């Protein structure tokens, strides 16, 4: 299991059990109104993406999901993820 930690530069990464519930408040504190959840199909099938997205939607935040993540992604794969933003 991964220990809880936080890293900001200026993008903030928050890790650890139960931390997804903090997403809406953290996003709204930065003026955010939408989120892009970047994942792979395995995490979707395991229900992990839903656990991240549900608190965001419940807080009225628009959520887009990008699931075409590749191992060792190319620039084109990253660009495709960025293009998924509304």
């Amino acid at each position: 299991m991964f220990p809880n930690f936080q890293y900001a530069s200026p993008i903030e990464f928050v890790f650890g059990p139960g931390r997804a519930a903090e997403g809406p408040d953290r996003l709204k504190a930065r003026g955010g109104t939408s989120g892009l959840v970047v994942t792979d199909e395995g995490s979707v099938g395991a229900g992990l993406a839903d656990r991240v997205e549900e608190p965001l939607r419940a807080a009225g935040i628009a959520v887009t999901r990008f699931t075409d993540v590749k191992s060792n992604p190319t620039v084109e794969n990253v660009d495709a993820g960025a293009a998924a933003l509304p």
Side-chain angles (χ1 to χ4, degrees):
M1 175 137 282
F2 222 73
N4 287 350
F5 71 91
Q6 183 172 326
Y7 170 82
S9 179
I11 297 170
E12 191 172 0
F13 297 88
V14 180
F15 291 84
R19 304 290 304 265
E22 299 174 28
D25 290 337
R26 290 182 177 280
L27 187 60
K28 287 182 176 183
R30 293 176 177 257
T33 58
S34 64
L36 175 64
V37 176
V38 179
T39 186
D40 64 3
E41 289 296 338
S43 295
V44 172
L48 298 176
D50 290 334
R51 289 175 31 196
V52 171
E53 294 172 5
E54 286 171 2
L56 295 170
R57 286 194 177 100
I61 296 169
V63 177
T64 300
R65 182 187 290 180
F66 178 72
T67 59
D68 190 27
V69 176
K70 309 288 187 210
S71 297
N72 303 314
T74 61
V75 170
E76 292 79 17
N77 189 218
V78 173
D79 287 344
L85 289 169

